[in-house]
């Protein structure tokens, strides 16, 4: 993925909190901020990476902004893509 070479780290629902060294994913571009690296809607989309391929995930406000009915599937996706320790 070019600029994302090295350990794969995801910032899910990045919003205005874009993080260097992370692939920043969000469903929308926030006004006044650069767009996310990848568009991803936690309510409908699987995380677009292979199983066991991600070293680290930051999801600061993701679960707070999701209705409880979406949380089990999103947590399952997070577990799917995280590399076992």
């Amino acid at each position: 993925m070019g600029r994302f070479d090295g350990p794969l780290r995801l910032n899910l629902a990045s919003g205005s909190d874009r993080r260097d060294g992370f692939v920043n994913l969000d469903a929308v571009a926030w006004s006044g901020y650069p767009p996310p690296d990848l568009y991803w809607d936690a309510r409908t989309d699987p995380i677009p990476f292979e199983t066991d391929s991600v070293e680290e995930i930051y999801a600061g406000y993701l679960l707070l902004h999701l209705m409880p009915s979406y949380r089990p599937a999103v947590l399952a996706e997070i577990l799917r893509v995280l590399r076992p320790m």
Side-chain angles (χ1 to χ4, degrees):
M1 289 187 65
R3 67 178 182 221
F4 303 120
D5 291 341
L8 183 54
R9 303 178 333 164
L10 306 181
N11 179 12
L12 301 180
S14 59
S16 61
D17 183 23
R18 293 179 52 87
R19 293 176 174 254
D20 291 336
F22 284 74
V23 180
N24 297 279
L25 293 88
D26 207 324
V28 297
W30 287 57
S31 179
Y33 295 92
D37 299 313
L38 294 172
Y39 286 95
W40 170 74
D41 189 333
R43 299 166 300 175
T44 58
D45 302 334
I47 297 173
F49 292 94
E50 299 292 324
T51 298
D52 301 335
S53 66
V54 176
E55 294 288 331
E56 179 180 351
I57 290 180
Y58 179 80
Y61 292 98
L62 173 63
L63 297 177
L64 175 69
H65 291 288
L66 276 179
M67 289 178 45
S69 61
Y70 292 110
R71 293 176 188 162
V74 170
L75 290 171
E77 269 299 287
I78 288 171
L79 289 174
R80 179 187 68 79
V81 299
L82 277 174
R83 182 173 288 161
M85 295 185 76

